[in-house]
Amino acid sequence: MTAFSTCPTLYSKANIEISNNLAKANKVQLPDLIRGVNRRLEQALEAKLKPSGTSLYQYRVLEALTERNGLPMGELAIRLFVDGPTLTKIIDRMVEAAEVYRGPDPNDRRRVLIFLSRKGATQFEDIGPQISSIERDILDRLGASDAAALTSLLSELLGDPVSSRPRSSQRRETPNYK
């Protein structure tokens, strides 16, 4: 059994019931399927994050900064699919908790970048493997070929170029901690 398939909240009555029966699945509209899968994934992630007291958005900020430390707010907002004011509130809380810090862009002193702190890096190291297990569960469930096809289709819908390598094999930048 997988974390994605066994989390009790994923199968609550409030969730969309999607049967393996193709006839029934065809009656569900594509936007509803996307919303349903997204909600189930978020619920599985939130269940894994809850014991650490980390919100889903905090985790996504930590993940983005682990991949590339020192991001401008605008780029971070795009990566997280949130608007500027929402991201500002998230970052303010994370700065207050010493998980991230703001610093000037070395190439443009007028611009502020968000950096991962040591505390934030440690927090990510502690929770990252738990979250990665959910991704592995999904990949195992779909298989490499279907996962690649789904990634391609969803990327096309978002208008993003498809990465030539799986996310888990992308090189993470070594953060420069303060």
Side-chain angles (χ1 to χ4, degrees):
M1 293 204 171
T2 66
F4 187 68
S5 64
T6 59
C7 184
T9 59
L10 298 180
Y11 294 99
S12 69
K13 292 180 182 178
N15 285 331
I16 299 172
E17 284 291 324
I18 299 175
S19 169
N20 288 334
N21 180 339
L22 287 177
K24 186 176 180 181
N26 286 335
K27 293 180 184 178
V28 179
Q29 297 295 313
L30 180 60
D32 293 330
L33 288 170
I34 293 170
R35 276 191 300 275
V37 169
N38 181 61
R39 185 65 195 134
R40 286 185 181 192
L41 178 57
E42 285 181 346
Q43 287 174 330
L45 293 169
E46 289 167 349
K48 289 281 189 177
L49 292 169
K50 189 174 184 172
S52 70
T54 304
S55 76
L56 185 55
Y57 283 119
Q58 286 173 301
Y59 171 78
R60 289 180 174 160
V61 168
L62 296 173
E63 180 182 46
L65 294 176
T66 299
E67 290 171 0
R68 184 173 149 219
N69 203 16
L71 288 172
M73 290 286 283
E75 187 174 331
L76 198 50
I78 290 168
R79 284 176 173 235
L80 272 59
F81 300 103
V82 297
D83 59 35
T86 300
L87 181 61
T88 298
K89 290 175 188 170
I90 294 165
I91 295 299
D92 286 347
R93 283 191 294 268
M94 293 180 79
V95 166
E96 189 174 308
E99 298 165 333
V100 300
Y101 64 94
R102 292 178 173 96
D105 184 335
N107 300 318
D108 183 353
R109 307 287 287 169
R110 299 168 294 176
R111 214 164 85 153
V112 175
L113 302 178
I114 307 302
F115 295 92
L116 189 63
S117 71
R118 287 179 198 229
K119 180 180 178 184
T122 300
Q123 186 175 354
F124 183 79
E125 287 172 12
D126 291 344
I127 58 179
Q130 297 170 31
I131 301 304
S132 295
S133 72
I134 293 173
E135 185 176 324
R136 280 191 308 276
D137 291 345
I138 293 169
L139 292 175
D140 290 346
R141 188 171 174 183
L142 290 176
S145 177
D146 285 346
L150 182 59
T151 299
S152 177
L153 291 169
L154 292 174
S155 295
E156 186 176 323
L157 288 174
L158 284 174
D160 293 341
V162 178
S163 174
S164 61
R165 55 188 173 189
R167 183 174 187 196
S168 60
S169 70
Q170 290 179 353
R171 186 179 78 67
R172 293 192 180 230
E173 185 177 287
T174 303
N176 180 13
Y177 304 116
K178 197 175 197 181

